[in-house]
């Protein structure tokens, strides 16, 4: 993942292993297969005075998978994300999504220490919040879900949020070709995406993060 600027607008270049096919029309939902996928995201560039940013973005390792389920008597997609911090704590996310509209319904976040002691159990509800989310709104941690399950063959606009109370910010995902990467685990065909957004739309916390 690398951050650049284009005409004053920040751009994230993201390279993701394919591992799935997009035979249908752009924007259609690719059905979940329940398969677990491992991610390691590294921010490889930071300025010399941005030690805090390097600590924050040094490396993030997590596992995701999506499955179908039933919630309140209705079918839903459940996107899981499990992350282990450098201190050994484990973070478990669940995101509940309406299969047809892809509306984000709710999220759950649990944190356990490396000894297995629970320290946080938090839930958010998005459709009945004071600030209803617009269509195609996803949590910031759901980028792998968007890439895995939406066939993005042309520029696509989505919205990202951190909590139901915050204003979503608009992001444009632009396919930027395919490439092959070689890492110790093997050789993978990857999709390269650009994420373009306006800095003015970002939540206040993000505006103070260092550029890469």
């Amino acid at each position: 993942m690398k951050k650049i600027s284009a005409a004053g607008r920040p751009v994230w270049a993201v390279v993701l292993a394919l591992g799935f096919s997009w035979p249908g029309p752009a924007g259609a939902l690719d059905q979940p297969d329940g398969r677990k996928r491992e991610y390691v995201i590294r921010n490889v560039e930071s300025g010399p005075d941005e030690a805090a940013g390097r600590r924050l973005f040094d490396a993030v390792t997590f596992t995701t998978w999506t499955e179908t389920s039933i919630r309140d008597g209705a079918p839903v997609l459940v996107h899981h994300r499990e992350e282990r911090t450098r201190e050994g704590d484990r973070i478990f996310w669940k995101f509940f999504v309406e299969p047809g509209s892809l509306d984000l319904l709710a999220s759950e976040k649990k944190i356990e220490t490396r000894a297995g002691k629970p320290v946080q159990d938090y839930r958010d509800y998005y459709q009945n919040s004071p600030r209803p989310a617009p269509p195609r709104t996803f949590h910031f941690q759901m980028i792998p879900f968007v890439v895995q399950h939406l066939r993005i063959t042309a520029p696509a606009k989505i919205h990202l949020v951190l909590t139901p109370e915050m204003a979503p910010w608009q992001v444009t995902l632009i396919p930027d070709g395919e490439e092959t990467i070689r890492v110790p685990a093997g050789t993978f065909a990857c999709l390269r995406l650009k994420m373009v957004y306006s800095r003015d739309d970002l939540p206040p916390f993000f505006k103070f993060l260092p550029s890469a």
Side-chain angles (χ1 to χ4, degrees), residues 178-190:
E178 298 180 12
E179 66 180 73
T180 300
I181 63 168
R182 293 175 175 82
V183 294
T187 301
F188 301 91
C190 294

Side-chain angles (χ1 to χ4, degrees), residues 37-59:
R37 294 173 170 87
E38 307 287 335
Y39 289 84
V40 179
I41 298 179
R42 291 187 177 90
N43 187 31
V44 297
E45 296 183 12
S46 289
D49 299 323
E50 296 173 347
R54 288 198 298 274
R55 286 197 301 272
L56 183 63
F57 287 116
D58 182 29

Side-chain angles (χ1 to χ4, degrees), residues 4 9 21 27 33 43 82 84 90 113 154 158 207:
I4 57 179
R9 296 173 65 84
S21 60
D33 56 13
N43 187 31
E82 294 186 3
R84 187 179 294 274
R90 300 181 69 187
T113 66
I158 64 171
K207 294 180 181 180

Side-chain angles (χ1 to χ4, degrees), residues 52-97:
R54 288 198 298 274
R55 286 197 301 272
L56 183 63
F57 287 116
D58 182 29
V60 178
T61 302
F62 58 92
T63 303
T64 72
W65 71 98
T66 304
E67 60 189 0
T68 58
S69 185
I70 300 294
R71 181 176 183 270
D72 297 333
V76 294
L77 300 178
V78 185
H79 181 64
H80 300 261
R81 173 183 169 123
E82 294 186 3
E83 179 180 335
R84 187 179 294 274
T85 69
R86 283 179 292 175
E87 292 75 20
D89 298 339
R90 300 181 69 187
I91 304 174
F92 303 91
W93 289 93
K94 285 185 181 180
F95 300 98
F96 300 88
V97 179

